[in-house]
């Protein structure tokens, strides 16, 4: 296991936290136990992200498709989010973490909506690490909402550009993810950051989310650091002007 930091640190890392259910089933435990273990893991990954110099961490916590799970599991997942906010907010705030929510608050119980808003409001001036929590998030849903607002704002057709669309997404103002990690071995996007991830590097690991630790994150970052990001250019062009971290001043 490599313990030193890789050469290129991704500025924005996004994680599809998958495999809680299978982690539990493997241990003959109820799926909810996997979700609980998954939240225990959040703290150490957030801490590791800060330590490694990652600036933005986006975590997929609940998708628009997850509403289709059995009602009991949905209720439990909602309760767990509430519990995590109650339990972790002081410490995250103290560590300089800015919490943001991406997704739709509509459709979530009013008490939980208030908690999410409070967490974002309280930490909005923190600058050490931005943690985007994708909760009731779907990439297609995000684009539908963006288009509706663009139309409602009366934007003329010729003013619609890629930059404009980006600015109407939940991630407005943030750079696209450099690295998207998915745990549990699945090789799909599951409606996560489908616009923003158009040129992200993907990394999949068999490890279930509750077992994904500091060393696992470091391993993913080393893998990322060895990638050649070409953004459509030839290998020769890319070698002539390294473009590993697109906006990294040190690279220029
Ligand atoms: C990820 O774990 C957590 C959520 C989607 C909320 P899963 O619950 O999807 O776990 P598996 O994929 O069934 O193992
Ligand atoms: C994706 O995981 C959503 C989250 C991690 C929150 P799922 O387990 O819901 O994805 P699919 O349905 O297997 O693609
Ligand atoms: Mg899953």
């Amino acid at each position: 296991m490599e313990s030193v930091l890789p050469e290129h640190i991704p500025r924005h890392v996004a994680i599809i936290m998958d495999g809680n259910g299978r982690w539990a089933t493997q241990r003959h435990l109820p799926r909810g136990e996997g979700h609980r273990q998954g939240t225990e893991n959040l703290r150490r990954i957030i801490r590791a992200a800060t330590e490694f110099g990652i600036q933005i961490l986006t975590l997929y916590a609940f998708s628009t498709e997850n509403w289709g799970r059995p009602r009991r599991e949905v209720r439990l997942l909602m309760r767990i989010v509430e519990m995590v906010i109650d339990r972790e907010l002081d410490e995250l705030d103290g560590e300089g973490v800015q919490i943001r929510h991406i997704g739709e608050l509509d459709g979530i119980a009013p008490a939980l909506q208030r908690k999410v808003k409070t967490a974002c409001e309280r930490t909005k001036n923190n600058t050490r690490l931005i943690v985007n929590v994708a909760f009731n998030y779907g990439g297609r849903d995000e684009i539908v909402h963006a288009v509706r607002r663009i139309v409602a704002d009366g934007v003329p057709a010729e003013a619609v550009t890629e930059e404009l669309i980006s600015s109407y997404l939940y991630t407005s103002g943030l750079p696209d993810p450099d690295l998207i990690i998915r745990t549990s071995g699945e090789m799909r996007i599951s409606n996560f950051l489908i616009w923003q991830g158009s040129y992200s590097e993907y990394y999949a690991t068999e490890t279930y989310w509750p077992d994904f630790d500091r060393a696992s994150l470091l391993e993913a970052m080393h893998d990322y650091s060895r990638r050649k990001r070409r953004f459509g250019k030839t290998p020769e062009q890319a070698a002539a002007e390294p473009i590993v971290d697109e906006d990294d001043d040190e690279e220029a």
Side-chain angles (χ1 to χ4, degrees), residues 14-252:
I15 308 181
I16 303 176
M17 310 183 287
D18 199 12
N20 292 349
R22 279 163 286 167
W23 181 93
T25 305
Q26 212 175 46
R27 288 165 177 74
H28 309 287
L29 296 167
R31 289 177 58 84
E33 212 33 60
H35 296 313
R36 274 195 206 94
Q37 277 300 321
T39 63
E40 293 298 323
N41 197 19
L42 284 171
R43 196 183 308 164
R44 68 177 179 193
I45 291 302
I46 291 173
R47 196 161 287 158
T50 315
E51 180 198 333
F52 297 155
I54 292 168
Q55 292 170 30
I56 304 157
L57 182 66
T58 299
L59 300 170
Y60 204 7
F62 190 88
S63 74
T64 47
E65 286 69 35
N66 288 146
W67 290 108
R69 293 191 179 197
R71 271 180 57 186
R72 263 192 59 196
E73 180 162 341
V74 171
R75 267 205 304 272
L76 178 68
L77 286 166
M78 296 294 150
R79 268 212 307 279
I80 286 176
V81 172
E82 211 166 327
M83 198 186 72
V84 171
I85 297 175
D86 289 341
R87 196 183 62 194
E88 307 291 338
L89 184 58
D90 283 342
E91 200 170 315
L92 290 174
D93 188 26
E95 286 173 5
V97 174
Q98 183 187 129
I99 300 167
R100 297 193 187 191
H101 169 247
I102 64 171
E104 269 308 297
L105 276 181
D106 277 355
I108 292 165
L112 183 51
Q113 282 192 31
R114 279 195 297 277
K115 278 203 178 160
V116 173
K117 282 183 193 153
T118 306
C120 298
E121 189 57 33
R122 224 181 97 183
T123 60
K124 70 174 183 207
N125 295 320
N126 292 342
T127 54
R128 189 131 177 246
L129 171 74
I130 293 176
V131 174
N132 283 317
V133 183
F135 175 63
N136 194 17
Y137 173 89
R140 288 187 170 189
D141 186 63
E142 176 178 41
I143 293 170
V144 168
H145 277 91
V147 172
R148 282 190 188 155
R149 284 175 43 232
I150 290 169
V151 173
D153 286 351
V155 176
E158 58 279 9
V160 177
T161 59
E162 293 188 7
E163 290 70 31
L164 180 103
I165 292 175
S166 293
S167 76
Y168 274 83
L169 301 177
Y170 301 124
T171 49
S172 171
L174 297 177
D176 289 337
D178 300 295
L179 172 64
I180 298 183
I181 297 171
R182 182 162 192 155
T183 60
S184 89
E186 305 300 344
M187 297 285 197
R188 54 177 175 261
I189 301 296
S190 302
N191 208 6
F192 188 47
L193 303 177
I194 55 176
W195 174 277
Q196 300 89 331
S198 65
Y199 252 112
S200 303
E201 295 295 324
Y202 281 92
Y203 177 87
T205 170
E206 294 287 327
T207 306
Y208 293 144
W209 170 250
D211 291 330
F212 187 87
D213 59 10
R214 180 188 176 281
S216 318
L217 179 60
L218 193 57
E219 201 178 319
M221 287 170 59
H222 275 284
D223 198 277
Y224 168 82
S225 190
R226 289 189 291 266
R227 305 280 178 94
K228 299 274 179 281
R229 301 187 80 181
R230 291 197 278 271
F231 299 100
K233 301 197 176 162
T234 66
E236 291 72 24
Q237 286 176 301
E241 36 159 331
I243 38 181
V244 171
D245 302 312
E246 230 186 336
D247 318 277
D248 197 336
D249 293 336
E250 288 139 19
E251 293 292 321

